[in-house]
Amino acid sequence: MIVVLKPNTPSQTENEFIDHLKSLGFNVHISHGIDHTILGLIGDTSRIQPESFIVYDFVDNVMRVQAPYKMASRSFHPDNTSIQIGEGLPNVLPCTIGDGNIVVIAGPCSIESEEQLISIAQEVKKSGARLLRGGAFKPRTSPYSFQGLGSKGIELLLSAKKATGLPVVTELMSITQLDLFNDIDVIQIGARNMQNFDLLKELGGCKNTILLKRGLANTVKELLMSAEYIMAAGNSNVILCERGIRTFDSYTRNTLDLSAVPFLKRESHLPVVVDPSHACGMSWMVPTLAASSLVAGADGIMIEVHNKPECALCDGEQSLTPAQFDTVMSRLKKYAAVEDKTL
Amino acid sequence: MIVVLKPNTPSQTENEFIDHLKSLGFNVHISHGIDHTILGLIGDTSRIQPESFIVYDFVDNVMRVQAPYKMASRSFHPDNTSIQIGEGLPNVLPCTIGDGNIVVIAGPCSIESEEQLISIAQEVKKSGARLLRGGAFKPRTSPYSFQGLGSKGIELLLSAKKATGLPVVTELMSITQLDLFNDIDVIQIGARNMQNFDLLKELGGCKNTILLKRGLANTVKELLMSAEYIMAAGNSNVILCERGIRTFDSYTRNTLDLSAVPFLKRESHLPVVVDPSHACGMSWMVPTLAASSLVAGADGIMIEVHNKPECALCDGEQSLTPAQFDTVMSRLKKYAAVEDKTL
Amino acid sequence: MIVVLKPNTPSQTENEFIDHLKSLGFNVHISHGIDHTILGLIGDTSRIQPESFIVYDFVDNVMRVQAPYKMASRSFHPDNTSIQIGEGLPNVLPCTIGDGNIVVIAGPCSIESEEQLISIAQEVKKSGARLLRGGAFKPRTSPYSFQGLGSKGIELLLSAKKATGLPVVTELMSITQLDLFNDIDVIQIGARNMQNFDLLKELGGCKNTILLKRGLANTVKELLMSAEYIMAAGNSNVILCERGIRTFDSYTRNTLDLSAVPFLKRESHLPVVVDPSHACGMSWMVPTLAASSLVAGADGIMIEVHNKPECALCDGEQSLTPAQFDTVMSRLKKYAAVEDKTL
Amino acid sequence: MIVVLKPNTPSQTENEFIDHLKSLGFNVHISHGIDHTILGLIGDTSRIQPESFIVYDFVDNVMRVQAPYKMASRSFHPDNTSIQIGEGLPNVLPCTIGDGNIVVIAGPCSIESEEQLISIAQEVKKSGARLLRGGAFKPRTSPYSFQGLGSKGIELLLSAKKATGLPVVTELMSITQLDLFNDIDVIQIGARNMQNFDLLKELGGCKNTILLKRGLANTVKELLMSAEYIMAAGNSNVILCERGIRTFDSYTRNTLDLSAVPFLKRESHLPVVVDPSHACGMSWMVPTLAASSLVAGADGIMIEVHNKPECALCDGEQSLTPAQFDTVMSRLKKYAAVEDKTL
């Protein structure tokens, strides 16, 4: 960490401050510039917030040198992380994500009925999806919208898992729901909960894999810090998910920030997936964004599929039909083949 | 709600769609334009999401006519809401916020010790603050930062309430903490929890007043929908809080969106406060933003105050000393007087 | 265009307003909703600004039905536009962009010397680039930075065109420079000039093809309106360029908004290219974004190439070496082949 | 400037780089941290772009210590700048802006006729406005909208100046129009031209005062760099103008970034004004934002006034009537009086 002092800071003030920094346990390198004194702190600065120095009115600026995350960082864990999902469970088709293993996740936005879910599950499985998604607890902007089937939805999802052998992923919205999630292979933490720190800490004690969605207006570094929360609390099976960010333009539901894929894969060892459905919010654009995301290096793509989008209880406008999904999978396989990969 | 169909939509498709809309319970007014057919839905459209029509590939665009919120809307509740805080409690100085009654809230970012808290409380009370704030459960971006004193902090806050008679406000981060908050006059819901819908629904059953902070990148309408969640669940004592939004510039911690104040006061009947401390993140700018916010029509201002900002365990760089806070209060009183108001 | 009146608008006011609309030349369809009256204007509304009705305090909202652009719109020009560049010029290798014809544009950020430029031109030509780029007039945020070689740079660029046969593209910053651009095949209008309306109008009189870059914070619709300016003034040879937008995150120089590619190609008939170099600002990420952009449907990719990036007078950090560029071209050719296309 | 090298950079690479920095004319202070080497450059770094070092793959990060602007910076010019407008001109009422002198600018968005303009000018003068604004050359997003009266509009504006004695301000959109502006007291550079660097350089040779509007998505530092362009080219009479920025919310036309006022007044010595009309785009909100801006420390407020807003050729929805403007002025005078200032 580097602390820059303002011009004309009195020597005494400077010395007292340097003593204070040493008392915090740092070595301090001092560099007197033309106008500014620059102090380099040598030591573990991850517990220090730059703001704690900016409070001094003689401090001009502070810059971190070390990233504030460790466990999520490739500096500390140079090898790619791969996560086994559904391993060792009877009648479940396990899969691996990360380190070259690409997984496509598909299913409806929300679970509506057993028949709907199992029908979609069978179709997407045939097309090559390896995980089934479906929402039981739905985050809805309006209190008057369909909120999901709740625990009944979880039951139906597990029943589809049994019927097809596909591992499942679904969103957890509150700690109080956690005990329903024992057999859920991947717990999704939604964009609006990316900085629900209490929830993240709780997930540290879970054995489930966590799929962590980037918040609407969270930086990629904040995403990594949220992953750090989960890992520091004890659970290292974290998958990062880019799902579009909020910007000034609204011709798409969110703005897919595709650069996040190469950046996160370079900065972190964790698998990175993309949700093009929520990113653009328009079914016609999903195939294009799915292909681009794969080519950008994503370890996985998550696509909403519904057998009758115009009847979907939510997000129908961004859902693909099983036939459209099958077409997308064919296209994704070709692109994966260019890099000698398979889905 | 208005639904615009794409040019050249076949008559049969149009008629089937109109039948579908009628089956949903709406009257439909049909308007044939040069290229587009425009359908006006007459009925209660609050439960309908525009996206549920956009899914049809013959639909070009959908526009809401009625706002999706009701209880929070001034259309439904034309009179200003005023909320009594601390009413009827022994040894507590009650205050009213809203409908011309302005309240200043002050206190440290986090509760660090009994001595620190009571000392600050007494000073801000002397200067005219009517509510004491202090964080017990702190949302920290890094898992390695001070997370707050937790339940111990709540105890200290209640002890300062007893010592000074000031009603108190503090942040609730998780439903699991709720039973500690019985004697907390105002429960603050932080920016990162503005769309924690499960938490909001739970607050509907509380008797406490809720201070709802706008999310980092949430629109003012989303803020009103989150208030709607709480009100629809049974609790109408909601105070809205503007605290800065995330934009492309970072010369301030967040960007204070002052226009939200007049907009919310026109659109809604709920009291509106501003938190200039978190908005700018720099103590030197807080007095200016506090004054501007008051003049913009805010029903309250919330300011972080710490007796020794450079020692604060968090947010020291944006905290005012008690002396600086006193100066701000003098200035605010002058501005309030211009509009014949008092603090 | 749909105009929604506020609840309780007096009949007389409503009738006077309807008469006013008719006097503007529109037919008016009237729809009385539960609370609101909705007026549908039938006629050519492209000259009308929604704001001209919002001024009335009894108007609640206005929604466009027709897009405000025509010449750029696929509704008016359903077939893809392809543009011939360098056609019929002696010793120039012509190329076509659009309608399935993909073009890669490469070259240094700024033209520094004849030797540097010709050397780079020969290398990128060998690798398959079809247009040579190079900046003579540079937009620099600081007045103290290298501003470009100006007219001398244009001479050098034309000399490289002669030496290699590659058509050229370079940025025009001011109308006063226009007469230097007669032999420049493609005139680039930079992001900061996307809404320099006087400049756009002037370009309507040029025979050169215009490469129009999206502004830092301009919507895709504003980009189309700026294209409309040029086309309405007489020049229909416009190529749209996505180059990243400004958002709240700054881990990349700009945020590549890849969704713009499929959206623009659907909404407009004009060719669409992507500049991944300026989008991410980091050479290591350019190959990935270039590939993703091609797969997203871009008609062209523009990449900065410099033989010695660490010595570049500007934008060295995002430039590829000729060898790196060659590797990217190989990769792009493989991806193009998946869709049966060539570069 | 501080350059941070990546961990494990070989000594030889480090030494060669340090030699390179010395060859650029800097002294270099070397600080070896736990993982990173930190280099402090001592010397004038204003001509160096951080990106020119980031190009090296062994460089991790670069941080400026000195601001990249000088002439606009308060460090170089500690005293407030005040600018005399209309000084020494016969029959013109001069005024001063800056250093405690507050000026209100008012007038229509566009000049429509002599009668309209003089009528508005007389009314706003009566209410206390000191400068008259009116647009002759209008930046319109659509080529089909009214583009302004052009040179005829300039004539009418000068004629209103003669009739009332009010100095005038109007927007210049292109260098080619400059010779019409000899008698225009203040030349406005619009938001879309804030980074039209060629235009800014040209203004360095003008004797007119320049009112420089912040771009839709330009940082406050970029605004200062654009002011630097004008000042470095020879014209130090620059007034900075905050007019709202583009964000994710669109309930107002732009988002007024009021914090820019205290920040710019602290960072720079130049006068700072606010345009609340373009910021919110809604006449009902303008009075509130005008008052808040004054209280935030603005040296001036620019307000659009039209005698018949519903007939205005542009921006009617944000214009005040002369009567409404008079009410705003009364309010502003009261707020100014709180700080012992006058308008």
Side-chain angles (χ1 to χ4, degrees):
Chain A
M1 191 171 278
I2 293 163
V3 182
V4 181
L5 307 188
K6 286 182 179 162
N8 308 317
T9 300
S11 303
Q12 187 180 340
T13 309
E14 188 178 309
N15 293 332
E16 286 172 359
F17 183 61
I18 290 168
D19 288 343
H20 170 63
L21 295 174
K22 288 179 178 172
S23 75
L24 293 176
F26 298 108
N27 278 334
V28 182
H29 287 204
I30 306 160
S31 185
H32 289 114
I34 291 184
D35 299 312
H36 301 77
T37 295
I38 297 162
L39 306 174
L41 275 59
I42 314 299
D44 180 1
T45 53
S46 56
R47 274 171 177 64
I48 303 287
Q49 295 302 313
E51 291 77 21
S52 63
F53 297 139
I54 288 173
V55 61
Y56 295 93
D57 60 17
F58 54 82
V59 168
D60 192 48
N61 205 352
V62 180
M63 179 175 99
R64 276 197 185 281
V65 172
Q66 287 173 333
Y69 38 83
K70 300 191 212 207
M71 300 185 70
S73 168
R74 207 177 264 279
S75 312
F76 280 82
H77 189 290
D79 299 330
N80 291 328
T81 282
S82 63
I83 299 174
Q84 280 72 46
I85 300 171
E87 189 86 343
L89 297 173
N91 301 320
V92 169
L93 297 153
C95 65
T96 304
I97 185 170
D99 197 29
N101 303 286
I102 301 174
V103 166
V104 175
I105 306 167
C109 175
S110 36
I111 298 157
E112 296 167 14
S113 75
E114 184 164 27
E115 183 197 358
Q116 165 239 20
L117 186 60
I118 290 179
S119 154
I120 294 171
Q122 285 165 340
E123 300 239 37
V124 303
K125 176 184 176 185
K126 232 190 310 178
S127 298
R130 300 306 303 275
L131 257 96
L132 173 69
R133 62 150 284 145
F137 297 95
K138 297 305 304 174
R140 304 310 298 282
T141 307
S142 167
Y144 306 119
S145 302
F146 172 59
Q147 305 271 316
L149 293 182
S151 54
K152 175 68 181 170
I154 300 287
E155 278 178 43
L156 295 182
L157 188 62
L158 294 174
S159 143
K161 174 178 176 180
K162 181 174 289 188
T164 61
L166 285 178
V168 293
V169 52
T170 190
E171 182 166 354
L172 172 80
M173 285 183 60
S174 168
I175 286 168
T176 55
Q177 299 157 355
L178 194 50
D179 48 352
L180 297 169
F181 281 66
N182 287 336
D183 297 316
I184 299 296
D185 303 276
V186 179
I187 295 178
Q188 175 177 311
I189 294 305
R192 290 167 187 80
N193 269 330
M194 194 204 93
Q195 289 192 317
N196 184 337
F197 301 119
D198 279 24
L199 182 58
L200 301 182
K201 281 187 277 194
E202 205 64 36
L203 296 171
C206 293
K207 57 170 182 39
N208 319 64
T209 296
I210 310 298
L211 187 148
L212 180 65
K213 283 196 152 185
R214 181 182 182 187
L216 266 64
N218 284 117
T219 63
V220 284
K221 290 185 181 178
E222 287 169 340
L223 173 60
L224 288 168
M225 285 309 296
S226 285
E228 190 80 5
Y229 250 97
I230 301 170
M231 299 176 83
N235 183 350
S236 287
N237 290 328
V238 180
I239 301 169
L240 307 171
C241 178
E242 162 62 29
R243 43 76 77 209
I245 57 174
R246 188 158 267 192
T247 69
F248 62 85
D249 209 344
S250 55
Y251 72 98
T252 44
R253 182 174 181 175
N254 293 283
T255 299
L256 176 67
D257 179 14
L258 198 62
S259 308
V261 176
F263 182 86
L264 289 169
K265 290 196 67 55
R266 179 167 157 118
E267 190 70 11
S268 172
H269 54 93
L270 300 172
V272 180
V273 308
V274 176
D275 175 350
S277 306
H278 283 88
C280 64
M282 301 183 284
S283 61
W284 69 265
M285 199 189 278
V286 170
T288 301
L289 297 188
S292 297
S293 300
L294 190 81
V295 164
D299 298 294
I301 315 283
M302 179 155 69
I303 298 177
E304 286 190 334
V305 180
H306 196 287
N307 43 356
K308 273 195 138 192
E310 64 275 12
C311 300
L313 291 182
C314 69
D315 289 352
E317 74 287 1
Q318 62 199 35
S319 299
L320 302 187
T321 60
Q324 291 169 335
F325 176 71
D326 193 67
T327 304
V328 170
M329 286 301 282
S330 301
R331 194 167 169 215
L332 292 182
K333 284 167 190 164
K334 286 191 209 167
Y335 282 116
V338 171
E339 308 280 341
D340 295 322
K341 291 191 180 148
T342 54
L343 261 51
Chain B
M1 190 170 279
I2 294 165
V3 183
V4 180
L5 307 187
K6 286 181 178 163
N8 309 317
T9 301
S11 302
Q12 188 180 339
T13 309
E14 188 178 307
N15 292 334
E16 285 171 359
F17 183 62
I18 290 169
D19 288 343
H20 170 62
L21 294 174
K22 287 178 177 172
S23 75
L24 292 176
F26 299 107
N27 279 334
V28 183
H29 286 206
I30 307 161
S31 184
H32 288 114
I34 292 184
D35 299 313
H36 301 76
T37 294
I38 297 162
L39 306 174
L41 275 58
I42 314 299
D44 181 3
T45 53
S46 57
R47 276 172 175 65
I48 301 287
Q49 295 303 312
E51 292 76 23
S52 63
F53 298 139
I54 288 172
V55 63
Y56 295 94
D57 60 17
F58 54 82
V59 168
D60 192 48
N61 204 355
V62 181
M63 180 177 99
R64 275 198 184 281
V65 173
Q66 285 173 335
Y69 38 82
K70 301 191 210 204
M71 299 186 69
S73 168
R74 209 178 262 279
S75 313
F76 280 81
H77 188 292
D79 299 330
N80 291 328
T81 283
S82 64
I83 298 175
Q84 280 73 45
I85 298 171
E87 190 85 345
L89 297 173
N91 300 317
V92 169
L93 299 152
C95 64
T96 304
I97 185 169
D99 198 29
N101 303 287
I102 301 173
V103 166
V104 175
I105 307 166
C109 174
S110 37
I111 298 157
E112 296 166 16
S113 74
E114 182 165 26
E115 182 196 0
Q116 165 242 16
L117 186 61
I118 289 179
S119 153
I120 294 170
Q122 286 166 338
E123 301 236 37
V124 303
K125 176 185 177 184
K126 231 186 314 175
S127 298
R130 301 304 305 273
L131 257 97
L132 173 69
R133 61 149 285 145
F137 298 95
K138 297 304 304 171
R140 303 313 295 285
T141 307
S142 165
Y144 305 119
S145 303
F146 172 61
Q147 305 272 314
L149 294 181
S151 56
K152 174 70 181 170
I154 298 286
E155 280 179 41
L156 295 181
L157 188 61
L158 294 174
S159 144
K161 174 179 178 180
K162 180 174 288 185
T164 60
L166 286 177
V168 293
V169 51
T170 189
E171 182 166 354
L172 172 80
M173 286 183 58
S174 166
I175 285 168
T176 55
Q177 298 156 356
L178 193 51
D179 49 351
L180 296 169
F181 279 69
N182 286 335
D183 297 317
I184 298 298
D185 303 276
V186 179
I187 296 178
Q188 175 176 309
I189 295 304
R192 290 165 187 80
N193 270 329
M194 193 205 94
Q195 289 194 317
N196 183 337
F197 300 120
D198 278 23
L199 182 58
L200 300 182
K201 282 188 276 194
E202 205 63 36
L203 296 171
C206 294
K207 56 166 185 40
N208 319 65
T209 295
I210 311 299
L211 188 147
L212 180 65
K213 284 195 152 186
R214 180 182 183 187
L216 264 64
N218 285 117
T219 63
V220 284
K221 291 184 179 176
E222 287 169 340
L223 173 59
L224 288 168
M225 286 309 297
S226 285
E228 190 80 4
Y229 251 97
I230 301 169
M231 301 175 82
N235 184 348
S236 286
N237 290 329
V238 180
I239 300 169
L240 308 171
C241 178
E242 161 63 27
R243 42 78 76 206
I245 56 173
R246 187 158 270 193
T247 69
F248 63 84
D249 210 346
S250 55
Y251 72 99
T252 44
R253 183 174 180 174
N254 295 284
T255 299
L256 177 67
D257 179 13
L258 198 63
S259 307
V261 177
F263 182 85
L264 289 169
K265 291 197 63 55
R266 179 165 156 122
E267 191 68 13
S268 172
H269 54 94
L270 299 173
V272 179
V273 307
V274 176
D275 174 350
S277 306
H278 282 89
C280 64
M282 299 181 285
S283 62
W284 69 265
M285 199 191 277
V286 170
T288 300
L289 299 188
S292 297
S293 301
L294 189 82
V295 164
D299 298 294
I301 315 283
M302 180 154 69
I303 297 178
E304 285 188 336
V305 180
H306 196 289
N307 44 354
K308 277 195 138 191
E310 63 277 10
C311 301
L313 292 181
C314 70
D315 287 354
E317 73 287 0
Q318 64 198 36
S319 299
L320 301 187
T321 61
Q324 290 169 333
F325 175 71
D326 193 65
T327 305
V328 170
M329 288 300 282
S330 303
R331 196 170 167 212
L332 292 182
K333 284 166 190 163
K334 286 190 211 169
Y335 282 115
V338 170
E339 307 280 341
D340 295 322
K341 291 192 180 147
T342 54
L343 260 49
Chain C
M1 189 171 280
I2 294 164
V3 183
V4 180
L5 307 188
K6 286 182 181 163
N8 308 316
T9 301
S11 302
Q12 189 181 337
T13 310
E14 189 178 306
N15 292 333
E16 285 172 359
F17 183 62
I18 290 168
D19 288 342
H20 170 62
L21 294 175
K22 288 178 177 174
S23 75
L24 292 176
F26 299 107
N27 279 333
V28 183
H29 286 204
I30 306 161
S31 184
H32 287 113
I34 291 184
D35 299 315
H36 301 77
T37 294
I38 298 163
L39 307 174
L41 276 58
I42 313 301
D44 180 2
T45 52
S46 56
R47 276 172 175 63
I48 302 287
Q49 294 303 309
E51 292 76 21
S52 63
F53 298 139
I54 288 171
V55 63
Y56 295 94
D57 59 19
F58 53 83
V59 167
D60 192 49
N61 204 354
V62 181
M63 179 177 98
R64 277 198 183 279
V65 173
Q66 287 173 336
Y69 38 82
K70 300 193 212 205
M71 299 185 71
S73 168
R74 209 178 262 280
S75 313
F76 280 82
H77 188 293
D79 298 330
N80 291 328
T81 283
S82 63
I83 298 174
Q84 279 73 43
I85 299 170
E87 190 86 343
L89 297 174
N91 300 319
V92 170
L93 298 154
C95 64
T96 304
I97 185 170
D99 198 28
N101 303 287
I102 301 173
V103 166
V104 176
I105 306 167
C109 175
S110 36
I111 297 157
E112 294 166 16
S113 75
E114 183 164 27
E115 182 196 358
Q116 165 241 18
L117 187 60
I118 290 180
S119 152
I120 294 171
Q122 285 166 339
E123 300 238 36
V124 302
K125 177 185 176 183
K126 233 188 310 179
S127 298
R130 300 305 305 274
L131 257 97
L132 173 69
R133 61 149 286 145
F137 298 95
K138 297 305 303 171
R140 304 312 296 285
T141 306
S142 167
Y144 306 118
S145 302
F146 173 60
Q147 305 272 315
L149 293 181
S151 56
K152 174 70 180 169
I154 298 287
E155 280 179 42
L156 295 181
L157 187 63
L158 293 174
S159 143
K161 175 178 176 181
K162 181 172 289 186
T164 61
L166 286 177
V168 292
V169 53
T170 189
E171 182 166 352
L172 173 80
M173 285 183 60
S174 167
I175 285 168
T176 54
Q177 298 157 357
L178 194 50
D179 49 350
L180 296 170
F181 280 67
N182 286 336
D183 296 317
I184 297 297
D185 303 275
V186 180
I187 295 178
Q188 175 176 310
I189 295 303
R192 289 168 186 78
N193 269 330
M194 194 204 93
Q195 289 195 315
N196 184 336
F197 301 120
D198 278 23
L199 182 58
L200 301 182
K201 281 188 277 193
E202 205 64 35
L203 296 171
C206 294
K207 56 168 184 39
N208 318 64
T209 296
I210 311 297
L211 188 146
L212 180 66
K213 283 196 153 184
R214 180 183 184 187
L216 265 65
N218 284 116
T219 62
V220 284
K221 291 186 179 175
E222 287 169 338
L223 173 60
L224 288 169
M225 285 310 295
S226 285
E228 190 79 4
Y229 251 97
I230 301 170
M231 300 175 82
N235 183 349
S236 287
N237 290 328
V238 180
I239 299 169
L240 308 171
C241 179
E242 162 62 28
R243 45 79 73 208
I245 56 173
R246 188 159 268 193
T247 69
F248 62 85
D249 210 343
S250 55
Y251 72 99
T252 43
R253 183 174 181 174
N254 295 285
T255 299
L256 177 67
D257 179 13
L258 197 63
S259 307
V261 177
F263 182 86
L264 289 169
K265 292 198 62 56
R266 178 166 157 120
E267 191 67 14
S268 172
H269 54 92
L270 299 172
V272 179
V273 308
V274 177
D275 175 350
S277 306
H278 283 89
C280 65
M282 299 181 285
S283 62
W284 69 266
M285 199 190 277
V286 170
T288 301
L289 297 188
S292 297
S293 300
L294 189 82
V295 165
D299 298 295
I301 314 283
M302 180 155 70
I303 297 178
E304 285 189 335
V305 180
H306 196 288
N307 44 356
K308 276 195 136 190
E310 63 277 11
C311 300
L313 292 181
C314 71
D315 287 354
E317 73 287 1
Q318 63 198 35
S319 299
L320 301 188
T321 61
Q324 290 170 334
F325 176 71
D326 193 66
T327 304
V328 171
M329 287 300 283
S330 302
R331 194 167 168 215
L332 291 182
K333 284 167 189 163
K334 286 191 211 168
Y335 282 115
V338 171
E339 306 281 342
D340 296 321
K341 291 191 180 146
T342 53
L343 261 51
Chain D
M1 189 171 279
I2 294 164
V3 182
V4 181
L5 307 188
K6 286 180 179 164
N8 308 317
T9 300
S11 303
Q12 189 182 340
T13 310
E14 187 178 309
N15 292 333
E16 286 173 0
F17 183 61
I18 290 169
D19 288 343
H20 170 62
L21 295 174
K22 289 177 176 173
S23 76
L24 293 176
F26 299 106
N27 279 333
V28 183
H29 287 203
I30 306 161
S31 184
H32 287 113
I34 291 184
D35 299 312
H36 300 77
T37 295
I38 297 162
L39 305 174
L41 275 58
I42 313 300
D44 180 1
T45 53
S46 56
R47 277 173 174 63
I48 303 288
Q49 296 301 312
E51 291 76 22
S52 63
F53 298 139
I54 287 173
V55 62
Y56 295 93
D57 60 18
F58 53 84
V59 167
D60 192 47
N61 205 353
V62 181
M63 178 175 98
R64 276 197 184 280
V65 174
Q66 287 173 334
Y69 38 82
K70 300 190 212 209
M71 298 185 70
S73 167
R74 206 177 266 280
S75 312
F76 280 83
H77 189 291
D79 299 329
N80 290 329
T81 283
S82 63
I83 299 174
Q84 280 73 45
I85 299 170
E87 190 84 344
L89 297 173
N91 301 318
V92 169
L93 297 154
C95 66
T96 304
I97 186 168
D99 197 30
N101 304 286
I102 301 173
V103 166
V104 176
I105 307 166
C109 175
S110 38
I111 298 157
E112 296 167 15
S113 74
E114 183 165 27
E115 182 196 0
Q116 165 241 16
L117 187 60
I118 290 179
S119 154
I120 293 170
Q122 286 166 339
E123 300 238 36
V124 303
K125 177 184 176 184
K126 231 189 311 176
S127 298
R130 301 305 305 273
L131 257 97
L132 172 69
R133 61 149 286 143
F137 298 95
K138 296 306 302 173
R140 304 310 298 284
T141 307
S142 166
Y144 305 118
S145 303
F146 172 60
Q147 305 273 315
L149 293 181
S151 55
K152 174 68 181 173
I154 298 289
E155 280 179 42
L156 295 182
L157 188 62
L158 293 174
S159 144
K161 175 177 176 180
K162 182 173 287 188
T164 60
L166 285 178
V168 293
V169 52
T170 190
E171 182 166 354
L172 172 80
M173 285 183 60
S174 167
I175 285 168
T176 55
Q177 299 157 353
L178 194 50
D179 49 350
L180 297 169
F181 280 68
N182 286 335
D183 297 317
I184 298 297
D185 303 275
V186 179
I187 295 177
Q188 175 176 309
I189 295 304
R192 290 168 186 78
N193 269 329
M194 193 204 94
Q195 290 193 317
N196 183 338
F197 300 119
D198 278 26
L199 181 59
L200 301 182
K201 281 188 277 194
E202 204 65 35
L203 297 171
C206 295
K207 58 166 181 41
N208 319 64
T209 296
I210 310 299
L211 188 147
L212 180 65
K213 284 194 152 186
R214 180 184 183 185
L216 265 66
N218 285 116
T219 63
V220 284
K221 291 185 178 175
E222 286 168 341
L223 173 60
L224 288 168
M225 286 309 296
S226 285
E228 190 79 6
Y229 251 96
I230 301 170
M231 300 176 82
N235 183 349
S236 288
N237 290 329
V238 180
I239 300 169
L240 307 171
C241 178
E242 162 61 28
R243 43 75 77 208
I245 57 174
R246 187 158 268 193
T247 68
F248 61 86
D249 210 344
S250 56
Y251 72 99
T252 43
R253 183 174 179 172
N254 294 284
T255 299
L256 176 68
D257 179 13
L258 198 62
S259 307
V261 177
F263 182 85
L264 289 168
K265 291 198 64 56
R266 180 168 156 117
E267 191 68 13
S268 171
H269 53 92
L270 299 172
V272 179
V273 307
V274 176
D275 174 351
S277 306
H278 283 89
C280 65
M282 301 182 282
S283 61
W284 69 265
M285 198 190 276
V286 169
T288 300
L289 296 189
S292 296
S293 300
L294 190 82
V295 164
D299 298 294
I301 313 284
M302 180 154 70
I303 297 177
E304 287 189 334
V305 180
H306 196 288
N307 44 355
K308 274 192 136 195
E310 63 276 11
C311 300
L313 291 180
C314 71
D315 287 354
E317 72 286 1
Q318 63 198 34
S319 299
L320 302 188
T321 62
Q324 290 169 336
F325 176 70
D326 194 67
T327 304
V328 171
M329 287 301 281
S330 301
R331 194 169 168 214
L332 291 183
K333 284 167 189 163
K334 286 190 209 166
Y335 282 115
V338 171
E339 305 282 339
D340 295 321
K341 291 192 180 148
T342 54
L343 260 51

